[in-house]
Amino acid sequence: MTWIDPHNGSDRARHGIATAVVVGDAFYLVDCGMGVAHQLRMAQLGQSGDFHGYEGLRDIFLTHLHSDHTMDYFNIVLSGWYHGLPGPEPVGVYGPGDRGALPAITGPSDVAAVNPDNPTPGTVDMTTYLTQAFATDINDRLRDSGKPSLDHLIRTHDIDIPAQVGARANDNQFPDMDPFVIMEDDRVKVSATLVDHGAVYPAFAFRFDTDDGSITFSGDTAPSPNLVRLAQETDILVHEVIDADWVRALYGEPPYSPEEEGFIEHLLHSHTTIEQVGPIAEQAGAKSLVLSHLAPGNNPRERWLAASAGFSGDLIVGEDLMQVGIGARTS
Ligand SMILES: [Zn+2]
Ligand SMILES: [Zn+2]
């Protein structure tokens, strides 16, 4: 049996999933995939002149706690001590809360839970554990290097899902719902909704509304009516996409065994295919569709351009460090 990571394409030029929303001299980060800490320094977002790259970072938003979306989160925190953090205020970190229950076991029946006293920690607890794991280093830097405490660098928040939504970990992960506001400051209003990422709970999509326009992030999801509602008339829809032909090719030529069919369906039912993503953007009335979190990362560009079928707006195939503007150009 082969375990396949749907995002582990072999294009080494692409880093993991992360997107920044830049508003003036500040920016907000959605997800922290592998390599984003480095790429942030390359991107030099929001500020002018010579700086480290993290100075303008206001808040981090995690769509879900799959490691391909979180691997560089604590890298940013720890390296931030030396690369422009803390700013005047701690960086807000908003992400899923405690899952509440372990997922069902679909493979071997004798799976021991890791950390059984708290096997499904949310963003706040995850950060506490990470801090504890790095205690030797952190204490050294606090005591010997005079660094400010991590409380000055970050402030973590588990996203509270409104109780009336009735969402539950294993049998009602993404009920039909209205988006809800999770953060608002002088530059952005950020709304969230629950989306369908298979057994993952909670899995969020986010929408940023600014004076210049709006950007909506699908997170990882199969086609989701909640996402279409969140993204209504958005200027830019940044959507994940997977190539179903690639998934099938991983298992060779058909016919597939029932077990292979099961794995193929499992992958495809947690994600959105090239054929599905255009009509979703059309239903949402998005002006532009940016394909992101491409699986596989090394598909020829022409293959992704097939996503324009069923979409009347602009299609953009995402690239590392690509910048897409909305509103009036200021520089
Ligand atoms: Zn995921
Ligand atoms: Zn992912």
Side-chain angles (χ1 to χ4, degrees):
M1 187 172 79
T2 314
W3 174 252
I4 292 162
D5 176 350
H7 305 313
N8 188 19
S10 57
D11 183 347
R12 291 180 179 81
R14 287 188 185 274
H15 294 75
I17 179 68
T19 316
V21 176
V22 183
V23 186
D25 61 0
F27 68 94
Y28 306 80
L29 192 61
V30 178
D31 285 331
C32 299
M34 189 164 74
V36 64
H38 171 75
Q39 292 293 77
L40 271 183
R41 301 191 65 201
M42 300 292 290
Q44 298 275 295
L45 297 174
Q47 313 270 312
S48 57
D50 190 23
F51 61 102
H52 292 101
Y54 296 178
E55 281 85 344
L57 176 58
R58 279 226 180 155
D59 298 292
I60 293 171
F61 297 84
L62 302 174
T63 57
H64 62 297
L65 296 183
H66 263 160
S67 54
D68 59 312
H69 295 249
T70 61
M71 264 187 260
D72 261 22
Y73 161 47
F74 218 61
N75 189 356
I76 290 170
V77 175
L78 292 177
S79 56
W81 255 345
Y82 289 89
H83 295 132
L85 297 180
E89 296 290 330
V91 173
V93 181
Y94 300 82
D98 191 325
R99 189 180 193 281
L102 284 163
I105 298 172
T106 54
S109 58
D110 57 345
V111 179
V114 172
N115 201 33
D117 291 339
N118 186 9
T120 56
T123 302
V124 172
D125 282 356
M126 179 178 78
T127 305
T128 301
Y129 288 132
L130 285 163
T131 305
Q132 291 169 355
F134 284 91
T136 298
D137 171 74
I138 292 170
N139 284 324
D140 178 87
R141 296 185 197 280
L142 291 173
R143 298 167 78 97
D144 188 50
S145 304
K147 288 292 176 190
S149 83
L150 288 194
D151 295 344
H152 293 279
L153 262 73
I154 52 169
R155 189 162 295 154
T156 52
H157 307 264
D158 287 346
I159 295 172
D160 275 332
I161 301 163
Q164 69 268 22
V165 169
R168 289 184 301 275
N170 289 335
D171 61 354
N172 200 24
Q173 294 103 311
F174 43 91
D176 211 35
M177 63 186 285
D178 290 323
F180 60 103
V181 175
I182 58 170
M183 197 283 284
E184 188 164 9
D185 66 11
D186 56 326
R187 300 179 194 225
V188 298
K189 180 176 80 173
V190 184
S191 308
T193 197
L194 288 165
V195 292
D196 173 6
H197 190 29
V200 178
Y201 176 83
F204 292 112
F206 297 128
R207 175 181 177 131
F208 288 67
D209 284 287
T210 76
D211 288 346
D212 291 321
S214 66
I215 310 162
T216 304
F217 296 91
S218 69
D220 281 11
T221 184
S224 162
N226 281 346
L227 172 71
V228 170
R229 189 173 302 160
L230 178 76
Q232 278 304 305
E233 307 304 320
T234 194
D235 290 285
I236 298 174
L237 173 60
V238 180
H239 206 296
E240 69 121 274
V241 65
I242 194 168
D243 184 345
D245 291 349
W246 170 72
V247 174
R248 294 192 185 93
L250 292 171
Y251 294 92
E253 293 293 315
Y256 303 115
S257 70
E259 188 187 39
E260 288 170 336
E261 285 283 3
F263 282 120
I264 291 169
E265 290 306 306
H266 188 74
L267 261 183
L268 292 180
H269 283 167
S270 305
H271 297 282
T272 299
T273 65
I274 293 172
E275 294 74 24
Q276 291 168 328
V277 72
I280 288 169
E282 188 71 17
Q283 284 174 45
K287 293 192 183 70
S288 299
L289 167 63
V290 178
L291 301 182
S292 184
H293 209 16
L294 308 166
N298 62 346
N299 243 4
R301 189 177 142 75
E302 302 74 57
R303 179 71 185 119
W304 298 122
L305 292 176
S308 65
F311 179 52
S312 56
D314 296 328
L315 175 71
I316 298 168
V317 181
E319 306 273 350
D320 276 31
L321 300 178
M322 173 185 269
Q323 297 191 14
V324 180
I326 53 173
R329 181 173 269 280
T330 54
S331 62

